Amino acid sequence: MLRRAGGGGRPSGVDRPRPRPDLRRLAAVVGAVLLLAGCAPDAVPATPVPPPSGGSAPSTVIGGLDLVFLRAMTAHQERTLAIVRVAPQRIRQPRLRTLVAAVDATETDEVAQAREWLRAAGPDPGGHRHEHPDQPGAPDPVSLLRDTPAAGYDAALVAVLVTQQRQAADLARAHLALAVAPAVRELARRIDESRTAQIRLLTALPVTPAPS
């Protein structure tokens, strides 16, 4: 016979049920982050999506918030690519130049993969334009960089990229809690880790602000 703990508590030897995650709260968090990226989570049917080109793994089923995440992240990455391609020849700091080239290569590959999955899933049933909105009154970062003098370009680029990559990491980290397709979860994990690492590298660079 199982003994009860003192005071009429739960029988000893019986595991207490683990608290279940508050999925409604997680969904609200992800929805808020997606809205910041210019998207809203619509009901999207799950769709069989082929593996990356040349792969032999079975098809992945991607739908719902996974598709919303992919559309939002792709829009965000397209903005990042536009930022790093404004004027790479103006970068003076060698380590910044190397990091920018790595960001360009990495996000080009990620966007290509996401677009492959999205093409297989079909058109967005909501017909939304997944643009990247700026905060009210905030300057467009691409225009800002174009207008930045050469002497302050490195510092301006670092400031823009830190903000951009922090938003990407936040979006990816929020989606990890609700990702369904393993391939999308792995993509979100990689984005979270790589952007967080890039932020550390960017903030450690010895760049000189533009003269006032």
Side-chain angles (χ1 to χ4, degrees):
M1 178 181 298
L2 293 172
R3 291 176 301 157
R4 292 183 177 273
R10 186 177 300 275
S12 60
V14 177
D15 292 336
R16 295 186 178 182
R18 295 181 179 179
R20 299 180 62 184
D22 188 344
L23 294 182
R24 286 178 298 179
R25 182 182 179 189
L26 291 174
V29 171
V30 173
V33 176
L34 291 172
L35 284 172
L36 289 176
C39 304
D42 300 303
V44 183
T47 306
V49 176
S53 302
S56 58
S59 297
T60 300
V61 176
I62 297 180
L65 280 175
D66 283 348
L67 285 178
V68 177
F69 166 74
L70 289 174
R71 293 187 181 106
M73 183 59 74
T74 299
H76 188 86
Q77 290 173 308
E78 287 170 345
R79 168 63 70 85
T80 304
L81 290 172
I83 288 169
V84 299
R85 293 171 181 173
V86 170
Q89 72 280 1
R90 295 171 64 190
I91 299 174
R92 297 182 174 184
Q93 224 288 334
R95 281 187 287 169
L96 177 58
R97 189 179 302 115
T98 299
L99 181 55
V100 163
V103 169
D104 193 334
T106 297
E107 302 208 19
T108 297
D109 288 346
E110 289 171 351
V111 167
Q113 177 62 87
R115 283 176 177 165
E116 184 178 335
W117 286 336
L118 291 171
R119 279 195 299 270
D124 178 5
H128 295 122
R129 297 179 63 191
H130 297 272
E131 298 178 341
H132 192 294
D134 296 307
Q135 294 295 326
D140 170 50
V142 174
S143 299
L144 184 151
L145 289 171
R146 286 184 181 138
D147 297 337
T148 298
Y153 189 79
D154 285 5
L157 179 57
V158 166
V160 167
L161 274 180
V162 165
T163 299
Q164 188 77 3
Q165 302 306 65
R166 183 172 290 120
Q167 291 172 349
D170 289 345
L171 175 57
R173 193 176 307 121
H175 188 65
L176 280 172
L178 292 179
V180 176
V184 177
R185 182 182 296 108
E186 174 61 18
L187 175 64
R189 184 194 64 77
R190 291 201 317 268
I191 290 174
D192 178 21
E193 291 183 356
S194 68
R195 290 355 171 230
T196 300
Q198 288 170 10
I199 291 168
R200 287 197 299 267
L201 293 172
L202 286 165
T203 54
L205 289 173
V207 293
T208 304
S212 54

